[in-house]
Amino acid sequence: QVQVVESGGGLVRAGGSLRLSCAASGNILRIDAMGWYRQAPGKQRELVATISSGGNTNYADSVMGRFTISRDNAKNTVYLQMNSLKPEDTAVYYCNAEALPYLHIKAYSFWGQGTQVTVSS
């Protein structure tokens, strides 16, 4: 099976920075899009940023100019550099990978367990 594991979350002050990492592993033939989503208390999960296998990116308006998504295809890893953090960014951040496992016909969406990001005032 495919495993997706996030790391890098923590507690930071407003205006600070964090860098999240997410590594996909397992019997993977190909990874297509990867992305970051977040869910704050009482809110639905929302898109933060996505990146295609070719490097095309999309960002939520709320993080544009502050967050940068990137990936290392050789390591099956996606990163989220978060600068100028605000209390509104506090949420559990989830990594998603669209991956095609070996011996499978179609790609599936795989999710990590989530990592907590807390931004204090």
PDB file of all heavy atoms in Angstrom, residues 27-55:
ATOM      1  N   ASN A  27       4.869   0.903  -2.735  1.00  0.00           N
ATOM      2  CA  ASN A  27       5.074   0.412  -4.101  1.00  0.00           C
ATOM      3  C   ASN A  27       4.366   1.335  -5.086  1.00  0.00           C
ATOM      4  O   ASN A  27       3.302   1.017  -5.614  1.00  0.00           O
ATOM      5  CB  ASN A  27       4.570  -1.022  -4.222  1.00  0.00           C
ATOM      6  CG  ASN A  27       5.384  -1.983  -3.392  1.00  0.00           C
ATOM      7  OD1 ASN A  27       6.591  -1.816  -3.247  1.00  0.00           O
ATOM      8  ND2 ASN A  27       4.721  -2.997  -2.854  1.00  0.00           N
ATOM      9  N   ILE A  28       4.988   2.470  -5.319  1.00  0.00           N
ATOM     10  CA  ILE A  28       4.406   3.524  -6.138  1.00  0.00           C
ATOM     11  C   ILE A  28       5.020   3.514  -7.525  1.00  0.00           C
ATOM     12  O   ILE A  28       6.237   3.580  -7.672  1.00  0.00           O
ATOM     13  CB  ILE A  28       4.618   4.904  -5.497  1.00  0.00           C
ATOM     14  CG1 ILE A  28       4.000   4.943  -4.100  1.00  0.00           C
ATOM     15  CG2 ILE A  28       4.028   5.989  -6.392  1.00  0.00           C
ATOM     16  CD1 ILE A  28       4.371   6.185  -3.313  1.00  0.00           C
ATOM     17  N   LEU A  29       4.174   3.458  -8.520  1.00  0.00           N
ATOM     18  CA  LEU A  29       4.630   3.589  -9.892  1.00  0.00           C
ATOM     19  C   LEU A  29       4.770   5.050 -10.283  1.00  0.00           C
ATOM     20  O   LEU A  29       5.756   5.437 -10.914  1.00  0.00           O
ATOM     21  CB  LEU A  29       3.672   2.875 -10.851  1.00  0.00           C
ATOM     22  CG  LEU A  29       4.013   2.988 -12.338  1.00  0.00           C
ATOM     23  CD1 LEU A  29       5.351   2.335 -12.631  1.00  0.00           C
ATOM     24  CD2 LEU A  29       2.918   2.369 -13.185  1.00  0.00           C
ATOM     25  N   ARG A  30       3.798   5.851  -9.878  1.00  0.00           N
ATOM     26  CA  ARG A  30       3.788   7.254 -10.275  1.00  0.00           C
ATOM     27  C   ARG A  30       2.961   8.069  -9.293  1.00  0.00           C
ATOM     28  O   ARG A  30       1.937   7.605  -8.801  1.00  0.00           O
ATOM     29  CB  ARG A  30       3.194   7.393 -11.686  1.00  0.00           C
ATOM     30  CG  ARG A  30       3.250   8.794 -12.257  1.00  0.00           C
ATOM     31  CD  ARG A  30       2.501   8.880 -13.581  1.00  0.00           C
ATOM     32  NE  ARG A  30       1.056   8.829 -13.396  1.00  0.00           N
ATOM     33  CZ  ARG A  30       0.266   7.862 -13.853  1.00  0.00           C
ATOM     34  NH1 ARG A  30       0.786   6.843 -14.534  1.00  0.00           N
ATOM     35  NH2 ARG A  30      -1.039   7.902 -13.639  1.00  0.00           N
ATOM     36  N   ILE A  31       3.408   9.279  -9.017  1.00  0.00           N
ATOM     37  CA  ILE A  31       2.640  10.232  -8.235  1.00  0.00           C
ATOM     38  C   ILE A  31       2.285  11.406  -9.133  1.00  0.00           C
ATOM     39  O   ILE A  31       3.158  11.998  -9.765  1.00  0.00           O
ATOM     40  CB  ILE A  31       3.407  10.731  -7.000  1.00  0.00           C
ATOM     41  CG1 ILE A  31       3.718   9.575  -6.052  1.00  0.00           C
ATOM     42  CG2 ILE A  31       2.605  11.807  -6.269  1.00  0.00           C
ATOM     43  CD1 ILE A  31       4.484   9.989  -4.816  1.00  0.00           C
ATOM     44  N   ASP A  32       1.011  11.714  -9.173  1.00  0.00           N
ATOM     45  CA  ASP A  32       0.557  12.832  -9.987  1.00  0.00           C
ATOM     46  C   ASP A  32       0.542  14.089  -9.117  1.00  0.00           C
ATOM     47  O   ASP A  32       1.588  14.522  -8.645  1.00  0.00           O
ATOM     48  CB  ASP A  32      -0.801  12.512 -10.604  1.00  0.00           C
ATOM     49  CG  ASP A  32      -0.735  11.296 -11.522  1.00  0.00           C
ATOM     50  OD1 ASP A  32       0.256  11.173 -12.270  1.00  0.00           O
ATOM     51  OD2 ASP A  32      -1.667  10.470 -11.493  1.00  0.00           O
ATOM     52  N   ALA A  33      -0.617  14.664  -8.895  1.00  0.00           N
ATOM     53  CA  ALA A  33      -0.679  15.880  -8.093  1.00  0.00           C
ATOM     54  C   ALA A  33      -0.456  15.582  -6.612  1.00  0.00           C
ATOM     55  O   ALA A  33      -0.789  14.506  -6.116  1.00  0.00           O
ATOM     56  CB  ALA A  33      -2.018  16.576  -8.286  1.00  0.00           C
ATOM     57  N   MET A  34       0.114  16.549  -5.905  1.00  0.00           N
ATOM     58  CA  MET A  34       0.240  16.505  -4.464  1.00  0.00           C
ATOM     59  C   MET A  34      -0.271  17.834  -3.918  1.00  0.00           C
ATOM     60  O   MET A  34      -0.238  18.851  -4.619  1.00  0.00           O
ATOM     61  CB  MET A  34       1.685  16.267  -4.019  1.00  0.00           C
ATOM     62  CG  MET A  34       2.299  15.002  -4.584  1.00  0.00           C
ATOM     63  SD  MET A  34       3.962  14.664  -3.939  1.00  0.00           S
ATOM     64  CE  MET A  34       3.551  13.971  -2.328  1.00  0.00           C
ATOM     65  N   GLY A  35      -0.727  17.817  -2.692  1.00  0.00           N
ATOM     66  CA  GLY A  35      -1.256  19.053  -2.155  1.00  0.00           C
ATOM     67  C   GLY A  35      -1.363  19.053  -0.651  1.00  0.00           C
ATOM     68  O   GLY A  35      -1.180  18.028   0.016  1.00  0.00           O
ATOM     69  N   TRP A  36      -1.650  20.238  -0.147  1.00  0.00           N
ATOM     70  CA  TRP A  36      -1.866  20.448   1.277  1.00  0.00           C
ATOM     71  C   TRP A  36      -3.268  20.972   1.507  1.00  0.00           C
ATOM     72  O   TRP A  36      -3.729  21.875   0.791  1.00  0.00           O
ATOM     73  CB  TRP A  36      -0.847  21.432   1.848  1.00  0.00           C
ATOM     74  CG  TRP A  36       0.540  20.897   1.910  1.00  0.00           C
ATOM     75  CD1 TRP A  36       1.526  21.050   0.991  1.00  0.00           C
ATOM     76  CD2 TRP A  36       1.103  20.106   2.959  1.00  0.00           C
ATOM     77  NE1 TRP A  36       2.676  20.416   1.396  1.00  0.00           N
ATOM     78  CE2 TRP A  36       2.443  19.824   2.607  1.00  0.00           C
ATOM     79  CE3 TRP A  36       0.613  19.612   4.164  1.00  0.00           C
ATOM     80  CZ2 TRP A  36       3.286  19.072   3.411  1.00  0.00           C
ATOM     81  CZ3 TRP A  36       1.452  18.859   4.968  1.00  0.00           C
ATOM     82  CH2 TRP A  36       2.769  18.600   4.583  1.00  0.00           C
ATOM     83  N   TYR A  37      -3.926  20.429   2.501  1.00  0.00           N
ATOM     84  CA  TYR A  37      -5.243  20.858   2.927  1.00  0.00           C
ATOM     85  C   TYR A  37      -5.187  21.099   4.426  1.00  0.00           C
ATOM     86  O   TYR A  37      -4.288  20.606   5.111  1.00  0.00           O
ATOM     87  CB  TYR A  37      -6.298  19.802   2.597  1.00  0.00           C
ATOM     88  CG  TYR A  37      -6.457  19.553   1.116  1.00  0.00           C
ATOM     89  CD1 TYR A  37      -5.493  18.851   0.394  1.00  0.00           C
ATOM     90  CD2 TYR A  37      -7.578  20.024   0.427  1.00  0.00           C
ATOM     91  CE1 TYR A  37      -5.631  18.629  -0.966  1.00  0.00           C
ATOM     92  CE2 TYR A  37      -7.725  19.800  -0.929  1.00  0.00           C
ATOM     93  CZ  TYR A  37      -6.752  19.103  -1.619  1.00  0.00           C
ATOM     94  OH  TYR A  37      -6.902  18.879  -2.965  1.00  0.00           O
ATOM     95  N   ARG A  38      -6.139  21.855   4.945  1.00  0.00           N
ATOM     96  CA  ARG A  38      -6.161  22.101   6.371  1.00  0.00           C
ATOM     97  C   ARG A  38      -7.585  22.126   6.884  1.00  0.00           C
ATOM     98  O   ARG A  38      -8.523  22.417   6.153  1.00  0.00           O
ATOM     99  CB  ARG A  38      -5.445  23.405   6.726  1.00  0.00           C
ATOM    100  CG  ARG A  38      -6.132  24.671   6.221  1.00  0.00           C
ATOM    101  CD  ARG A  38      -5.256  25.888   6.484  1.00  0.00           C
ATOM    102  NE  ARG A  38      -5.893  27.123   6.061  1.00  0.00           N
ATOM    103  CZ  ARG A  38      -5.293  28.312   6.048  1.00  0.00           C
ATOM    104  NH1 ARG A  38      -4.022  28.417   6.444  1.00  0.00           N
ATOM    105  NH2 ARG A  38      -5.947  29.394   5.649  1.00  0.00           N
ATOM    106  N   GLN A  39      -7.720  21.830   8.158  1.00  0.00           N
ATOM    107  CA  GLN A  39      -9.020  21.827   8.800  1.00  0.00           C
ATOM    108  C   GLN A  39      -8.897  22.468  10.176  1.00  0.00           C
ATOM    109  O   GLN A  39      -8.193  21.950  11.046  1.00  0.00           O
ATOM    110  CB  GLN A  39      -9.580  20.415   8.922  1.00  0.00           C
ATOM    111  CG  GLN A  39     -11.005  20.359   9.426  1.00  0.00           C
ATOM    112  CD  GLN A  39     -11.630  18.991   9.245  1.00  0.00           C
ATOM    113  OE1 GLN A  39     -10.932  17.995   9.081  1.00  0.00           O
ATOM    114  NE2 GLN A  39     -12.946  18.947   9.256  1.00  0.00           N
ATOM    115  N   ALA A  40      -9.563  23.586  10.343  1.00  0.00           N
ATOM    116  CA  ALA A  40      -9.602  24.279  11.615  1.00  0.00           C
ATOM    117  C   ALA A  40     -10.805  23.799  12.418  1.00  0.00           C
ATOM    118  O   ALA A  40     -11.769  23.266  11.851  1.00  0.00           O
ATOM    119  CB  ALA A  40      -9.675  25.787  11.394  1.00  0.00           C
ATOM    120  N   PRO A  41     -10.781  23.975  13.741  1.00  0.00           N
ATOM    121  CA  PRO A  41     -11.915  23.550  14.562  1.00  0.00           C
ATOM    122  C   PRO A  41     -13.220  24.180  14.093  1.00  0.00           C
ATOM    123  O   PRO A  41     -13.303  25.388  13.873  1.00  0.00           O
ATOM    124  CB  PRO A  41     -11.536  24.044  15.955  1.00  0.00           C
ATOM    125  CG  PRO A  41     -10.040  24.082  15.947  1.00  0.00           C
ATOM    126  CD  PRO A  41      -9.681  24.513  14.552  1.00  0.00           C
ATOM    127  N   GLY A  42     -14.241  23.359  13.916  1.00  0.00           N
ATOM    128  CA  GLY A  42     -15.536  23.834  13.491  1.00  0.00           C
ATOM    129  C   GLY A  42     -15.648  24.154  12.020  1.00  0.00           C
ATOM    130  O   GLY A  42     -16.696  24.635  11.578  1.00  0.00           O
ATOM    131  N   LYS A  43     -14.596  23.903  11.262  1.00  0.00           N
ATOM    132  CA  LYS A  43     -14.593  24.208   9.840  1.00  0.00           C
ATOM    133  C   LYS A  43     -14.401  22.938   9.016  1.00  0.00           C
ATOM    134  O   LYS A  43     -13.902  21.929   9.507  1.00  0.00           O
ATOM    135  CB  LYS A  43     -13.481  25.200   9.495  1.00  0.00           C
ATOM    136  CG  LYS A  43     -13.579  26.530  10.212  1.00  0.00           C
ATOM    137  CD  LYS A  43     -14.752  27.340   9.709  1.00  0.00           C
ATOM    138  CE  LYS A  43     -14.765  28.725  10.337  1.00  0.00           C
ATOM    139  NZ  LYS A  43     -15.901  29.541   9.834  1.00  0.00           N
ATOM    140  N   GLN A  44     -14.806  23.009   7.765  1.00  0.00           N
ATOM    141  CA  GLN A  44     -14.562  21.913   6.846  1.00  0.00           C
ATOM    142  C   GLN A  44     -13.136  21.977   6.314  1.00  0.00           C
ATOM    143  O   GLN A  44     -12.495  23.028   6.326  1.00  0.00           O
ATOM    144  CB  GLN A  44     -15.553  21.949   5.679  1.00  0.00           C
ATOM    145  CG  GLN A  44     -16.991  21.686   6.078  1.00  0.00           C
ATOM    146  CD  GLN A  44     -17.905  21.538   4.876  1.00  0.00           C
ATOM    147  OE1 GLN A  44     -17.527  21.853   3.751  1.00  0.00           O
ATOM    148  NE2 GLN A  44     -19.107  21.056   5.119  1.00  0.00           N
ATOM    149  N   ARG A  45     -12.652  20.844   5.858  1.00  0.00           N
ATOM    150  CA  ARG A  45     -11.325  20.804   5.278  1.00  0.00           C
ATOM    151  C   ARG A  45     -11.282  21.660   4.016  1.00  0.00           C
ATOM    152  O   ARG A  45     -12.190  21.603   3.190  1.00  0.00           O
ATOM    153  CB  ARG A  45     -10.931  19.365   4.960  1.00  0.00           C
ATOM    154  CG  ARG A  45      -9.495  19.195   4.504  1.00  0.00           C
ATOM    155  CD  ARG A  45      -9.140  17.725   4.315  1.00  0.00           C
ATOM    156  NE  ARG A  45      -9.293  16.973   5.553  1.00  0.00           N
ATOM    157  CZ  ARG A  45      -8.963  15.686   5.677  1.00  0.00           C
ATOM    158  NH1 ARG A  45      -8.446  15.023   4.647  1.00  0.00           N
ATOM    159  NH2 ARG A  45      -9.152  15.068   6.835  1.00  0.00           N
ATOM    160  N   GLU A  46     -10.228  22.448   3.869  1.00  0.00           N
ATOM    161  CA  GLU A  46     -10.102  23.339   2.731  1.00  0.00           C
ATOM    162  C   GLU A  46      -8.746  23.181   2.070  1.00  0.00           C
ATOM    163  O   GLU A  46      -7.755  22.824   2.702  1.00  0.00           O
ATOM    164  CB  GLU A  46     -10.307  24.797   3.155  1.00  0.00           C
ATOM    165  CG  GLU A  46      -9.244  25.317   4.112  1.00  0.00           C
ATOM    166  CD  GLU A  46      -9.425  26.780   4.458  1.00  0.00           C
ATOM    167  OE1 GLU A  46     -10.357  27.409   3.926  1.00  0.00           O
ATOM    168  OE2 GLU A  46      -8.631  27.305   5.265  1.00  0.00           O
ATOM    169  N   LEU A  47      -8.722  23.485   0.802  1.00  0.00           N
ATOM    170  CA  LEU A  47      -7.486  23.441   0.037  1.00  0.00           C
ATOM    171  C   LEU A  47      -6.567  24.579   0.447  1.00  0.00           C
ATOM    172  O   LEU A  47      -7.009  25.712   0.621  1.00  0.00           O
ATOM    173  CB  LEU A  47      -7.786  23.516  -1.456  1.00  0.00           C
ATOM    174  CG  LEU A  47      -6.608  23.445  -2.429  1.00  0.00           C
ATOM    175  CD1 LEU A  47      -7.045  22.766  -3.717  1.00  0.00           C
ATOM    176  CD2 LEU A  47      -6.078  24.843  -2.740  1.00  0.00           C
ATOM    177  N   VAL A  48      -5.288  24.273   0.585  1.00  0.00           N
ATOM    178  CA  VAL A  48      -4.267  25.283   0.849  1.00  0.00           C
ATOM    179  C   VAL A  48      -3.442  25.525  -0.404  1.00  0.00           C
ATOM    180  O   VAL A  48      -3.315  26.655  -0.873  1.00  0.00           O
ATOM    181  CB  VAL A  48      -3.353  24.881   2.012  1.00  0.00           C
ATOM    182  CG1 VAL A  48      -2.248  25.917   2.209  1.00  0.00           C
ATOM    183  CG2 VAL A  48      -4.160  24.701   3.289  1.00  0.00           C
ATOM    184  N   ALA A  49      -2.868  24.464  -0.950  1.00  0.00           N
ATOM    185  CA  ALA A  49      -2.044  24.576  -2.143  1.00  0.00           C
ATOM    186  C   ALA A  49      -1.905  23.218  -2.790  1.00  0.00           C
ATOM    187  O   ALA A  49      -1.916  22.192  -2.111  1.00  0.00           O
ATOM    188  CB  ALA A  49      -0.656  25.140  -1.806  1.00  0.00           C
ATOM    189  N   THR A  50      -1.773  23.210  -4.100  1.00  0.00           N
ATOM    190  CA  THR A  50      -1.528  21.983  -4.841  1.00  0.00           C
ATOM    191  C   THR A  50      -0.398  22.203  -5.828  1.00  0.00           C
ATOM    192  O   THR A  50      -0.117  23.336  -6.230  1.00  0.00           O
ATOM    193  CB  THR A  50      -2.765  21.493  -5.607  1.00  0.00           C
ATOM    194  OG1 THR A  50      -3.162  22.473  -6.570  1.00  0.00           O
ATOM    195  CG2 THR A  50      -3.918  21.214  -4.654  1.00  0.00           C
ATOM    196  N   ILE A  51       0.225  21.103  -6.225  1.00  0.00           N
ATOM    197  CA  ILE A  51       1.289  21.164  -7.216  1.00  0.00           C
ATOM    198  C   ILE A  51       1.203  19.921  -8.087  1.00  0.00           C
ATOM    199  O   ILE A  51       1.073  18.801  -7.597  1.00  0.00           O
ATOM    200  CB  ILE A  51       2.676  21.304  -6.542  1.00  0.00           C
ATOM    201  CG1 ILE A  51       3.779  21.447  -7.596  1.00  0.00           C
ATOM    202  CG2 ILE A  51       2.953  20.133  -5.601  1.00  0.00           C
ATOM    203  CD1 ILE A  51       5.110  21.885  -7.003  1.00  0.00           C
ATOM    204  N   SER A  52       1.257  20.116  -9.384  1.00  0.00           N
ATOM    205  CA  SER A  52       1.190  19.014 -10.319  1.00  0.00           C
ATOM    206  C   SER A  52       2.550  18.351 -10.449  1.00  0.00           C
ATOM    207  O   SER A  52       3.565  18.848  -9.959  1.00  0.00           O
ATOM    208  CB  SER A  52       0.712  19.504 -11.687  1.00  0.00           C
ATOM    209  OG  SER A  52       1.718  20.272 -12.327  1.00  0.00           O
ATOM    210  N   SER A  53       2.569  17.211 -11.131  1.00  0.00           N
ATOM    211  CA  SER A  53       3.836  16.516 -11.342  1.00  0.00           C
ATOM    212  C   SER A  53       4.805  17.353 -12.166  1.00  0.00           C
ATOM    213  O   SER A  53       6.018  17.186 -12.048  1.00  0.00           O
ATOM    214  CB  SER A  53       3.594  15.172 -12.034  1.00  0.00           C
ATOM    215  OG  SER A  53       2.972  15.348 -13.292  1.00  0.00           O
ATOM    216  N   GLY A  54       4.267  18.253 -12.984  1.00  0.00           N
ATOM    217  CA  GLY A  54       5.090  19.134 -13.786  1.00  0.00           C
ATOM    218  C   GLY A  54       5.476  20.433 -13.114  1.00  0.00           C
ATOM    219  O   GLY A  54       6.204  21.236 -13.702  1.00  0.00           O
ATOM    220  N   GLY A  55       4.985  20.661 -11.898  1.00  0.00           N
ATOM    221  CA  GLY A  55       5.371  21.835 -11.145  1.00  0.00           C
ATOM    222  C   GLY A  55       4.392  22.991 -11.176  1.00  0.00           C
ATOM    223  O   GLY A  55       4.683  24.053 -10.611  1.00  0.00           O
TER     224      GLY A  55
END
